[in-house]
Amino acid sequence: DTFGCSAVLARKLLTSDKPAICISQEIHATGFFGKRPLLGIRKTLVRWLYPQAEMVFSVSNAVTEDLVQNYQIPKRKIKLLRNWVSMKTQKVSRSKKTIDIIYIGRFTPEKNLPLLLEAFARLRSSHPNATLSLVGYGEEEHNLRKNIEKLRLSSNVSFPGFTYDTEDFFSRSRVFVMTSHNEGIPLAMLEAMAMGVPVVSGEFPGISEVIQHDKTGFIADSAASLSQ
């Protein structure tokens, strides 16, 4: 919303050669704003400025409905453009899969990573040698490390850092887990599915557009069900 609203405002300052503005809305706005500052101001700006853009690209039906119902964006101005990936399923021998559970993404509040740690702690009680790899970066890393120490998971959890080489990590992983309470159509999840890595996800608006529960992945609503 910061770039989209800023672009519309910047165009208002121009006296000529006003460019067309297309906004890419890749996340569920209401869910995102719920974890961010200046909630009221940002919602107001979206309601006022988004309709002045020529087009808003949405990545899912859930994102579209949120924009229409909660921000009064005319549906005729919204075009669905789903995320996609170009990757091939790789058959890797089980002996080379050294990561039991992997998460790839940002470490931010909407990713709800404390839920992942709670579920992993439950899992480790029955699988003491299980491993979890948190691949990425973000503002919540310090809190995550403190939580890992509190749960006594330090010997089981690794932080490889940020990388663009996700294929290497997926090829070595047994299960991909995402516990976000807000997403659009997550690319990391699509990449995991494309490479044949089983996916377990928390619930967020639009998850049913990505996963058919118990057919193409698993959707869980608690730490207990995620662990199971």
Side-chain angles (χ1 to χ4, degrees), residues 102-165:
I102 192 167
Y103 165 82
I104 297 181
R106 292 175 295 117
F107 304 152
T108 53
E110 62 267 17
K111 300 299 184 178
N112 202 17
L113 291 174
L115 177 62
L116 172 56
L117 294 182
E118 182 183 349
F120 183 71
R122 286 172 173 265
L123 178 69
R124 199 194 63 163
S125 64
S126 57
H127 296 74
N129 296 319
T131 59
L132 169 64
S133 186
L134 301 175
V135 182
Y137 69 98
E139 63 204 66
E140 289 294 302
E141 182 171 344
H142 177 69
N143 291 332
L144 287 174
R145 289 183 180 274
K146 287 176 60 177
N147 202 0
I148 287 168
E149 291 181 8
K150 181 180 177 181
L151 295 170
R152 298 180 179 179
L153 298 174
S154 298
S155 61
N156 300 78
V157 181
S158 63
F159 284 85
F162 173 78
T163 179
Y164 286 109
D165 187 14

Side-chain angles (χ1 to χ4, degrees), residues 212-224:
Q212 289 180 282
H213 178 63
D214 211 22
K215 292 183 179 180
T216 60
F218 300 93
I219 303 173
D221 60 1
S222 67

Side-chain angles (χ1 to χ4, degrees), residues 11-29:
R11 182 172 65 177
K12 287 179 174 293
L13 300 176
L14 299 176
T15 56
S16 61
D17 298 326
K18 293 179 181 288
I21 303 287
C22 296
I23 298 172
S24 178
Q25 186 67 26
E26 300 179 2
I27 56 172
H28 190 271

Side-chain angles (χ1 to χ4, degrees), residues 77-110:
K77 285 200 168 189
I78 303 175
K79 300 295 182 183
L80 183 64
L81 187 65
R82 296 186 185 276
N83 283 340
W84 61 279
V85 296
S86 179
M87 304 175 80
K88 293 182 179 180
T89 300
Q90 295 185 10
K91 291 186 177 181
V92 179
S93 65
R94 188 171 181 81
S95 62
K96 293 184 178 180
K97 290 185 175 291
T98 56
I99 302 170
D100 292 320
I101 298 169
I102 192 167
Y103 165 82
I104 297 181
R106 292 175 295 117
F107 304 152
T108 53
E110 62 267 17

Side-chain angles (χ1 to χ4, degrees), residues 4 29 48 53 56 96 110 141 152 169 174 177 199 202 206 209 218 220:
W48 174 43
V56 178
K96 293 184 178 180
E110 62 267 17
E141 182 171 344
R152 298 180 179 179
F169 277 98
R174 294 186 171 92
V177 179
V199 169
E209 298 178 51
F218 300 93

